[in-house]
Amino acid sequence: KAGVRALSHYRYGETQQGNATREPVHDWASHGADAFRYFGVAITTPQREIEQHRQEYEIASDEAWMA
């Protein structure tokens, strides 16, 4: 509920002439919108890519100098 509210309040700044800027206003709404964006990126990451990174990490951990 709060996330949808943040998305509905997400906005861009304005110049003194009243034109929209390319930069979002950084307030409570932009933080909620960023959370949704990161969720979208995470949910669309292919499972094979996640597994590949996990395997690379496991190999690197096995080769660590303290292992």
Side-chain angles (χ1 to χ4, degrees), residues 1-8 28 36:
K1 217 173 183 180
V4 173
R5 185 169 174 241
L7 287 174
S8 68
W28 69 273
F36 265 89

Side-chain angles (χ1 to χ4, degrees), residues 8 11 14-15 19 34 37 42 44 48 51-53 56:
S8 68
R11 60 196 171 95
E14 289 185 8
T15 65
N19 299 323
D34 284 344
R37 180 179 52 155
T44 59
R48 66 179 181 276
E51 288 299 321
Q52 180 182 0
H53 288 297
E56 289 171 0

Side-chain angles (χ1 to χ4, degrees), residues 15-62:
T15 65
Q16 291 180 348
Q17 293 80 20
N19 299 323
T21 65
R22 297 184 72 151
E23 298 294 320
V25 174
H26 291 285
D27 59 4
W28 69 273
S30 68
H31 297 296
D34 284 344
F36 265 89
R37 180 179 52 155
Y38 289 124
F39 172 74
V41 169
I43 200 87
T44 59
T45 301
Q47 188 63 34
R48 66 179 181 276
E49 187 176 328
I50 293 170
E51 288 299 321
Q52 180 182 0
H53 288 297
R54 183 176 292 132
Q55 289 172 0
E56 289 171 0
Y57 175 77
E58 289 172 358
I59 291 169
S61 295
D62 291 341

